[in-house]
Every structure is written in structure tokens, then in C-alpha cells.
């Protein structure tokens, strides 16, 4: 009886070996509902293809065009090993602190004909792909519950008859991303990101077979990045740098880096028809992907029309910031109009939980790159009230306070 039970147990283990749902193979496109960069109205594209000479390896990849809205010239690869897990290899400009490919492993948790899920740390971090129907794919990335990292419903952009003829990937896993410091200065103007890799050239930037998408099926998209509301001329007059961190909500960040005074002077500005009941905030050095350990400056008008610019801190992974005077802010001002809210403040390089660290490179002064987060929400009625939840009107960015153009492309510059 014991031997029979052991045999049944072994047969059970064999029966639950996960198999990648090959019906997901193809090219997919959609507009995300949630992203770590905030609202995103441009298209998100992925391809899922088998790896050559393998019956168990697949590559899911995406590529963001050099004229894209939020992370131009970036690439992500997900090397899938059937029944084992997935290795993430990504190079996202203006997002990761590390100026190079980031690699992360996930373990396969479940797989059916229509669902596959990978997890890490007991599924605190989980990625689930669901085939809703033969032409609809749901992609949901929960990055440390309850933080929604990505949620996007995608449509197949190749016909069903073509799906059986998808080419396979000739690059061996686990990571084949060419690293450059900036997508706008690669040092090789002749290299094409659409180039098909071959066995003799395994390090090509770009999305494999990206050019093979059926152009008739692709969602039409206006590539021009339009700012509908011009910023106040005073920001142009008073601040050296100004960039739009998110085009969909037109969140503008302007600043002066005053080395002689060791001070950062900052202006935050958004168009809104409800400027008297809205807050805008900027956080310094959150612990990705949550808000933990961030110093926050939050500004708005209270119910009596008084300026509220508060120094705050986030002591937990997610949740509203708390009053904390560790980061000393000064020169505060809140300006409202019928269609805009602007908050200004200054902070010293050396204040709060995170300093703006400078260092010398030969005759030049540089600064350690910083992770920042921004948010927009309904303001409390007083200068001591708890800020309301921002929803998806928040995002993360990576910034160089002295040389922002090494990270931000020119099309992110403010218009006046």
C-alpha cells in the first residue's frame, strides 16, 4: 500500500508540472490603466515568442520608441523557462537608479491553458498574465502587495492565421541588452534597434522582430507630445530647469541648483480646474517600489485660502505621509488660478533623511542621481490634515539635478 501511495504521489507531481500556454504567443498592444510612472495614454507593446532550439524557453519583450512619451529608448526582456520561472532583464532610462541592465528572477507559481503566474517572496510580488480570449491578454504586475506596478489589457495585433508562423528568437537567454548611458547618444548612429539578431550577434538593442508587426492591426497613435496648458512665465523667468514629468497630467518640475548656497529651489505646477482643493507633492528618495523612507514636500491651499506647504515623511511602505520637520523647507508659496496650481519651496542640500550629495570629477561638480516621486490628490481642509489618496496620479522618476538633459529628452522640457 505504501509503495502504491508513493507511486500515486509521484504521478501527482508529474501531473502538475506547469506548461507555458502557447496560445499567448504573438504580438500584443494596449493602453495601461496603471503604471509606475503614473497615467499613460500611449500604447504599450509586447511580443511573446519561442526561443530557437528549445521546447521550453520563451521570450517576452517590450521596447519603448526613442520618441516615446515616458521612458524612450528603453527595453525589457522576460526570459521564460517553462515550469521553472522567469528572469527579468530591463534597461529603463530615467527610472532605475542603476545605470545599466537590472536582472530579477521569479518562480513559476501556476499555469493553465489561459493563465500563467510568477512570484517572488511568497507572492508578495506577483506577475499574472491571463488570456481572456484568443485576442485579449490581461497583464497584471503586483509589486509588493498592494502596489499595482502595471495593469494593462492588450489586444492581439496579428491575425489568428499568422499566429502559427511566428519566428522564434535566436538569442540565448538570460539577458541580451546592449547598455548605453542614454538612449539619445549611443555613439553609434548607424545601429538600428529593429535589427534582427542572429547567431553571430547576440547583443542587439531593441525588441526582437519588432518590425514584423502587422501595421494594419496596430492602434493608431499620435506621436506628438502636446502640452495643452502653457506654464506661467514666472517659472521660466525664475528657474533654470523645467521638465514635464508626466505628460498626461502635465506635472511640471522646475528648479534651480544653487551650489554657492547649497540649496535646491523647486517649483511644482499642474493645470487643474480645482486648484483650491488639490495638493501636489514631491518626494525625495522613496524606497522603490513603495513610498517608504521618502522625505515629502506637500503644497495646497486650506479651506480658508491659506498657503500650506508641509515637510513630511513616509515611515511605511504605502500610506499617507506624516508631518515631520526633518527636511527643513523655506521660501514657500502656493499660487492658484482658475486653471493652475503652483507650489514653490526651497530645501538645503543637507537636510532631512536624504542629502543632495555632490562630488568632484576633475574640474567639474556633479551630483549623485536621485529617485523622486510625485503625486496629485484632493487636499485636506487644514494645514495639519491627512492628505487624501492620490490613486494613479503618482509616479516615480530618476533625476540628475545638475545635468538633467543627460536623462530627460528635450521633448520633456516645459513650454511657456
Amino acid at each position: 500500500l505504501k509503495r502504491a501511495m508513493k507511486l500515486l504521489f509521484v504521478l501527482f507531481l508529474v501531473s502538475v508540472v506547469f506548461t507555458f500556454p502557447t496560445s499567448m504567443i504573438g504580438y500584443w498592444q494596449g493602453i495601461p490603466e496603471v503604471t509606475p510612472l503614473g497615467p499613460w495614454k500611449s500604447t504599450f507593446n509586447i511580443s511573446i515568442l519561442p526561443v530557437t532550439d528549445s521546447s521550453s524557453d520563451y521570450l517576452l519583450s517590450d521596447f519603448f520608441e526613442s520618441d516615446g512619451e515616458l521612458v524612450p529608448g528603453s527595453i525589457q526582456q522576460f526570459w521564460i523557462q517553462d515550469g521553472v520561472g522567469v528572469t527579468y532583464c530591463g534597461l529603463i532610462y530615467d527610472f532605475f537608479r542603476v545605470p545599466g541592465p537590472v536582472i530579477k528572477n521569479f518562480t513559476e507559481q501556476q499555469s493553465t491553458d489561459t493563465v500563467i503566474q510568477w512570484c517572488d517572496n511568497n507572492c508578495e510580488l506577483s506577475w499574472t498574465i491571463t488570456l481572456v480570449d484568443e485576442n485579449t491578454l490581461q497583464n497584471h504586475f503586483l509589486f509588493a502587495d498592494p502596489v499595482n506596478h502595471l495593469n494593462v489589457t492588450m489586444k492581439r495585433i496579428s491575425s489568428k492565421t499568422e499566429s502559427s508562423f511566428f519566428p522564434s528568437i535566436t538569442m540565448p537567454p538570460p539577458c541580451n541588452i546592449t547598455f548605453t548611458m542614454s538612449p539619445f547618444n549611443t555613439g553609434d548612429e548607424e545601429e538600428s534597434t529593429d535589427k534582427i539578431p542572429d547567431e553571430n550577434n547576440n547583443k542587439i538593442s531593441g525588441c526582437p522582430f519588432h518590425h514584423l508587426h502587422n501595421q494594419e492591426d496596430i492602434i493608431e497613435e499620435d506621436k506628438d507630445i502636446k502640452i495643452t496648458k502653457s506654464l506661467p512665465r514666472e517659472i521660466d523667468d525664475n528657474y533654470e530647469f523645467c521638465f514635464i514629468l508626466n505628460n498626461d497630467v502635465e506635472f511640471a518640475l522646475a528648479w534651480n541648483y544653487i551650489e554657492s548656497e547649497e540649496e535646491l529651489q523647486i517649483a511644482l505646477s499642474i493645470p487643474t480646474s480645482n486648484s483650491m482643493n488639490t495638493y501636489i507633492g514631491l518626494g525625495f528618495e522613496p524606497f522603490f517600489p513603495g513610498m517608504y523612507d521618502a522625505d515629502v514636500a506637500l503644497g495646497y491651499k486650506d479651506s480658508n485660502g491659506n498657503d500650506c506647504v508641509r515637510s513630511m515623511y513616509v515611515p511605511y511602505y504605502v500610506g499617507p505621509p506624516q508631518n515631520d520637520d526633518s527636511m527643513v523647507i523655506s521660501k514657500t508659496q502656493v499660487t492658484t488660478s482658475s486653471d493652475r496650481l503652483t507650489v514653490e519651496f526651497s530645501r538645503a542640500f543637507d537636510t532631512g533623511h536624504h542629502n543632495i550629495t555632490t562630488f568632484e570629477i576633475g574640474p567639474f561638480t556633479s551630483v549623485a542621481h536621485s529617485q523622486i516621486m510625485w503625486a496629485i490628490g484632493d487636499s485636506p481642509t487644514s494645514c495639519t490634515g491627512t492628505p487624501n489618496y492620490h490613486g494613479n496620479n503618482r509616479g516615480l522618476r530618476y533625476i540628475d539635478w545638475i545635468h538633467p538633459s543627460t536623462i530627460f529628452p528635450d521633448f520633456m522640457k516645459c513650454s511657456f
Side-chain angles (χ1 to χ4, degrees), residues 239 255-259 261-266 282 284 330 345-349 356 401-402:
Y239 293 92
W255 71 94
N256 293 319
Y257 184 91
I258 312 298
E259 186 177 359
E261 300 178 21
E262 296 188 344
E263 183 179 72
L264 203 59
Q265 300 171 350
I266 291 176
L282 184 72
F284 298 85
S330 61
F345 66 94
S346 296
R347 59 153 290 174
F349 290 172
I356 308 296
W401 295 109
I402 300 181

Side-chain angles (χ1 to χ4, degrees), residues 262-318:
E262 296 188 344
E263 183 179 72
L264 203 59
Q265 300 171 350
I266 291 176
L268 314 174
S269 189
I270 58 167
T272 175
S273 59
N274 194 23
S275 60
M276 294 298 294
N277 297 290
T278 301
Y279 71 75
I280 48 180
L282 184 72
F284 298 85
E285 300 291 354
F287 186 77
F288 176 81
M291 301 168 60
Y292 174 68
D293 201 34
D295 289 313
V296 174
L298 192 81
Y300 57 93
K301 292 280 191 180
D302 70 9
S303 58
N304 295 317
N306 299 312
D307 289 6
C308 300
V309 184
R310 300 162 63 179
S311 178
M312 309 185 80
Y313 178 71
V314 186
Y316 27 62
Y317 188 72
V318 292

Side-chain angles (χ1 to χ4, degrees), residues 26-247:
Y27 302 100
W28 303 87
Q29 185 181 71
I31 297 177
E33 296 92 40
V34 177
T35 82
L37 296 171
W40 183 324
K41 295 179 182 177
S42 57
T43 54
F44 184 83
N45 306 278
I46 67 170
S47 60
I48 305 176
L49 297 172
V51 175
T52 301
D53 299 326
S54 173
S55 60
S56 61
D57 291 335
Y58 301 84
L59 173 63
L60 186 155
S61 60
D62 57 47
F63 180 75
F64 304 91
E65 303 286 359
S66 59
D67 58 351
E69 178 181 339
L70 292 173
V71 284
S74 299
I75 182 172
Q76 297 183 107
Q77 295 177 346
F78 303 83
W79 293 96
I80 301 165
Q81 188 174 2
D82 207 0
V84 178
V86 62
T87 297
Y88 168 80
C89 185
L91 181 58
I92 308 298
Y93 294 102
D94 181 27
F95 186 72
F96 288 138
R97 173 181 298 280
V98 181
V102 172
I103 298 175
K104 175 69 177 175
N105 295 310
F106 303 87
T107 302
E108 192 166 310
Q109 182 71 16
Q110 64 166 312
S111 179
T112 68
D113 291 340
T114 58
V115 176
I116 188 164
Q117 183 184 54
W118 300 280
C119 286
D120 186 43
N121 195 23
N122 295 319
C123 273
E124 183 181 65
L125 187 157
S126 68
W127 179 26
T128 307
I129 301 178
T130 304
L131 190 67
V132 180
D133 57 50
E134 65 179 13
N135 292 312
T136 307
L137 197 70
Q138 178 67 39
N139 195 336
H140 185 209
F141 208 124
L142 192 66
F143 208 146
D145 191 10
V147 178
N148 274 313
H149 185 76
L150 176 71
N151 193 17
V152 54
T153 300
M154 314 186 82
K155 293 295 183 182
R156 191 186 294 273
I157 57 172
S158 54
S159 66
K160 183 174 174 55
T161 56
E162 291 176 318
S163 63
S164 60
F165 299 103
F166 288 129
S168 58
I169 299 296
T170 58
M171 296 187 296
C175 183
N176 292 273
I177 293 179
T178 300
F179 166 61
T180 56
M181 283 297 291
S182 168
F184 317 107
N185 182 20
T186 63
D188 185 359
E189 298 300 327
E190 297 180 358
E191 182 178 27
S192 170
T193 56
D194 287 343
K195 185 175 179 180
I196 299 177
D198 57 43
E199 294 179 357
N200 299 318
N201 189 357
N202 291 330
K203 293 186 177 180
I204 299 296
S205 293
C207 179
F209 306 105
H210 158 266
H211 66 296
L212 296 180
H213 290 175
N214 188 336
Q215 296 300 316
E216 295 179 357
D217 293 334
I218 292 178
I219 298 172
E220 289 298 326
E221 171 184 4
D222 188 351
K223 288 277 188 180
D224 293 334
I225 295 178
K226 297 181 176 66
I227 303 301
T228 60
K229 301 287 186 181
S230 297
L231 276 88
R233 177 55 60 181
E234 292 79 11
I235 290 182
D236 187 32
D237 293 339
N238 297 332
Y239 293 92
E240 180 180 1
F241 306 111
C242 185
F243 289 86
I244 304 297
L245 299 189
N246 182 283
N247 181 63

